[in-house]
């Protein structure tokens, strides 16, 4: 049975008493409050996504919501995801795991950590507020997060994937509480300024435009393949999971893994506006991209691929093209994709949206060790994933391209999506980055 929870802290600012309540399920948060505070153009912040997270078993052991109230008014909401025993070396990538080798030798238990994630576990982090987050509410919120972590015996606390602007109002409170920053993987976002898909292709630079037309031709050369848009994809969930596992088996990082409970709950929900880009070979599903829509925003949330066919038919690229068509037809102004396989997404025209972590440990010694080693491990994973798209100011060590293990021919890069291929001499490579 879900428990509503109780207040964990009281703050005062300018004579106004503030109460922080812990809600153990989104069911206890009024729908009117969520509609008022959630970003209207980010479908990953749809209430239905959070309800589906609670229905599935995608990684976290539990969820909670910190609600800051001033009298009857809700000032802020912060979603939380609880892990009792997270394997830290599973979420930093191969180069990051190498940098964490000293921790594994000296204190291996530090790499299996109880951890509290603050923000949206599947999307970009936000503190939900009706207006700008004030310093006072930020202090109350950070204090409540630490109180909750102590109560739940979750030593490591992370504000996950916040845009710099989202962290700015919290920086003073986070710094005073012992949090330290680290850059996380950037999101990928495509601005949709074209009126039609054909116009979008025409606006691409010359080489990406040639590549896109080549990918479309190679898909069309497989007459048994067809692309469909499916609204109720519940009957397809078993096939979707098989394709999704092919992707996850090649993943360097596995923080969340979607399951049948999540997908079924999302498909059955009246919102968000969600559709499945589904590619069939006859009656067999061979690729999909789960797409969500809200206001002017769209998200290509998760992908599944049949790898034996994906390369020749350019399945990865073509399900993304289909998602772009859908977003344009829906009048969206932008569409976001996953935080991996940056080379093909940059060729789609995506820009990189910078994001950051803020993290700490409740005890001083582990905090000092994590502060010393974890940002470097995360930076190494980021460098390896971004490859040639790494911003010039980044200083982490790039992967050794002379090392055959750095980019094996048989194992495409994270999200394990096939490389952006080209008809141009010398340009083709099975490695996306």
């Amino acid at each position: 049975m879900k428990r509503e929870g109780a207040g964990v802290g009281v703050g005062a600012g300018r004579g106004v008493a503030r109460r922080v309540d812990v809600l153990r399920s989104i069911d206890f948060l009024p729908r009117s409050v969520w509609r008022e505070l959630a970003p209207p153009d980010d479908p990953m912040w749809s209430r239905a996504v959070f309800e589906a997270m609670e229905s599935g078993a995608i990684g976290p052991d539990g969820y909670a919501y910190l609600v800051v109230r001033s009298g009857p008014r809700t000032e802020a909401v912060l979603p939380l995801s609880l892990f009792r025993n997270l394997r830290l070396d599973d979420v930093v990538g191969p180069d990051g795991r190498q940098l964490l080798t000293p921790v594994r030798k000296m204190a291996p238990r530090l790499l299996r950590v109880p951890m509290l994630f603050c923000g949206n576990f599947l999307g970009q982090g936000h503190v939900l507020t009706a207006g700008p987050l004030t310093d006072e509410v930020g202090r109350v919120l950070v204090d409540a997060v630490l109180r909750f972590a102590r109560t739940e015996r979750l030593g490591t606390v992370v504000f996950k994937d916040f845009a710099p602007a989202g962290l700015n109002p919290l920086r003073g409170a986070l710094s005073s509480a012992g949090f330290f920053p680290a850059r996380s993987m950037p999101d990928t976002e495509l601005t949709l300024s074209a009126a039609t898909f054909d116009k979008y292709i025409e606006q691409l630079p010359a080489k990406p435009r040639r590549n896109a037309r080549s990918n479309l031709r190679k898909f069309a050369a497989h007459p048994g393949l067809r692309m469909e848009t499916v609204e109720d994809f519940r009957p397809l969930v078993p096939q979707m999971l098989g394709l999704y596992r092919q992707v996850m088996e090649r993943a360097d990082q596995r923080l969340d893994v979607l399951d049948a409970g999540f997908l079924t709950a999302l498909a059955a929900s009246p919102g968000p506006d969600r559709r499945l880009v589904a590619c069939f070979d006859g009656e067999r599903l061979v690729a999909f991209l789960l797409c969500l829509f809200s206001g002017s925003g769209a998200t290509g949330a998760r992908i599944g691929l049949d790898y034996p066919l994906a390369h020749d038919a350019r399945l990865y690229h073509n399900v993304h093209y289909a998602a772009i068509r859908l977003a344009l037809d829906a009048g969206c102004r932008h569409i976001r994709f996953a935080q991996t396989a940056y080379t093909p997404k940059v060729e789609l025209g995506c820009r990189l949206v910078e994001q950051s972590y803020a993290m700490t440990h409740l005890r001083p010694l582990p905090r000092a060790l994590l502060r010393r080693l974890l940002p470097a491990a995360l930076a190494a994973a980021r460098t390896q994933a971004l490859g040639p798209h790494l911003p010039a100011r980044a200083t982490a060590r790039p992967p050794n391209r002379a090392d055959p293990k750095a980019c094996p021919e048989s194992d495409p890069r994270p999200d394990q999506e096939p490389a952006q291929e080209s008809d141009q001499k010398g340009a083709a490579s099975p490695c996306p980055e």
Side-chain angles (χ1 to χ4, degrees):
M1 179 180 295
K2 296 175 179 177
R3 295 181 294 117
E4 180 171 354
V8 296
V10 175
R14 297 180 181 178
V16 178
R18 291 185 173 91
R19 176 179 176 80
V20 183
D21 291 326
V22 178
L23 308 184
R24 293 291 182 159
S25 169
I26 197 170
D27 292 345
F28 301 120
L29 191 62
R31 291 181 178 274
S32 59
V33 172
W34 192 268
R35 283 195 299 268
E36 179 188 359
L37 301 184
D41 299 317
D42 186 344
M44 295 306 289
W45 278 88
S46 164
R47 185 183 180 97
V49 170
F50 285 79
E51 291 171 341
M53 288 165 58
E54 293 186 16
S55 297
I58 65 174
D61 298 299
Y63 301 92
Y65 302 82
L66 292 187
V67 181
V68 181
R69 293 187 172 109
S70 175
R73 183 166 60 94
T74 299
E75 291 194 300
V77 176
L78 179 63
L80 307 175
S81 302
L82 292 70
F83 281 84
R84 302 295 178 189
N85 197 24
L86 178 69
R87 285 201 57 172
L88 196 58
D89 48 342
D90 274 353
V91 300
V92 294
D95 277 16
R97 283 192 283 276
Q98 184 176 356
L99 286 171
L100 289 176
T101 298
V103 182
R104 190 178 299 110
K105 291 179 178 178
M106 292 186 300
R109 291 182 61 186
L110 268 182
L111 297 181
R112 299 186 71 89
V113 296
M115 185 174 290
L116 179 65
F117 284 98
C118 306
N120 186 339
F121 184 65
L122 293 181
Q124 188 180 60
H126 293 286
V127 177
L128 301 185
T129 59
L133 183 68
T134 66
D135 292 341
E136 178 59 32
V137 173
R139 285 192 293 271
V140 170
L141 199 60
V142 170
D143 180 65
V145 165
L146 296 177
R147 287 172 182 263
F148 179 79
R150 292 188 185 96
T151 300
E152 295 293 322
R153 305 176 70 86
L154 302 174
T156 304
V157 182
V158 179
F159 281 70
K160 174 186 174 289
D161 289 339
F162 274 70
L167 275 182
N168 284 341
L170 294 168
R171 289 190 187 279
L174 291 169
S175 178
S176 298
F179 283 81
F180 55 92
R183 296 172 73 191
S184 59
M185 297 293 183
D187 266 359
T188 52
E189 181 176 279
L190 176 64
T191 299
L192 300 173
S193 57
T196 65
F197 181 77
D198 288 340
K199 291 291 185 182
Y200 154 73
I201 293 291
E202 290 175 7
Q203 290 175 4
L204 291 173
K207 182 178 175 182
R209 185 170 63 249
R210 289 193 297 269
N211 287 342
R213 288 171 173 165
S214 171
N215 292 330
L216 290 165
R217 286 196 304 270
K218 289 177 178 178
F219 180 83
H222 291 73
L225 295 179
R226 71 182 189 279
M227 202 74 72
E228 294 185 5
T229 301
V230 181
E231 293 192 11
D232 184 0
F233 50 84
R234 281 174 288 182
L236 295 174
V237 165
Q239 292 187 71
M240 291 171 64
L241 289 174
L243 299 176
Y244 180 63
R245 287 189 200 102
Q246 291 190 46
V247 172
M248 296 309 296
E249 284 169 0
R250 293 163 171 82
D252 287 332
Q253 304 175 42
R254 298 178 182 88
L255 181 59
D256 62 88
V257 179
L258 305 189
D259 70 344
F262 175 90
L263 293 171
T264 301
L266 189 64
S269 170
D273 185 3
R274 69 276 179 276
R275 278 163 269 173
L276 190 75
V277 170
C279 181
F280 293 91
D281 185 3
E283 297 305 312
R284 182 171 67 94
L285 186 69
V286 293
F288 74 83
L289 184 61
L290 177 59
C291 298
L292 309 177
F293 302 85
S294 181
S296 65
T299 297
R302 291 296 185 273
I303 194 169
L305 297 170
D306 179 8
Y307 276 86
L309 181 61
H311 177 80
D312 289 340
R314 305 302 193 264
L315 296 183
Y316 165 76
H317 305 89
N318 279 277
V319 293
H320 280 79
Y321 299 150
I324 293 168
R325 288 180 190 270
L326 279 179
L328 287 168
D329 290 345
C332 295
R333 294 197 294 270
H334 59 85
I335 182 169
R336 285 200 174 190
F337 298 110
Q339 295 178 342
T340 49
Y342 288 100
T343 290
K345 286 167 185 164
V346 168
E347 287 221 6
L348 288 173
C350 293
R351 68 182 181 93
L352 303 186
V353 181
E354 290 297 324
Q355 301 180 135
S356 296
Y357 299 127
M359 58 191 73
T360 192
H361 196 283
L362 298 180
R363 292 188 288 123
L365 183 58
R367 184 190 312 140
L369 191 57
L370 289 177
R371 182 189 289 267
R372 179 176 179 83
L373 294 172
L374 192 54
L378 292 169
R382 187 176 185 276
T383 297
Q384 186 180 44
L386 284 170
H389 312 294
L390 190 72
R393 67 180 181 275
T395 58
R397 180 179 62 86
N400 180 6
R401 294 301 179 198
D403 181 356
K405 295 181 180 179
C407 194
E409 294 288 300
S410 61
D411 185 12
R413 305 282 300 171
D415 223 352
Q416 306 9 277
E417 300 150 349
Q420 171 66 45
E421 305 250 355
S422 172
D423 286 343
Q424 308 308 306
K425 182 178 179 181
S429 166
C431 205
E433 285 112 17

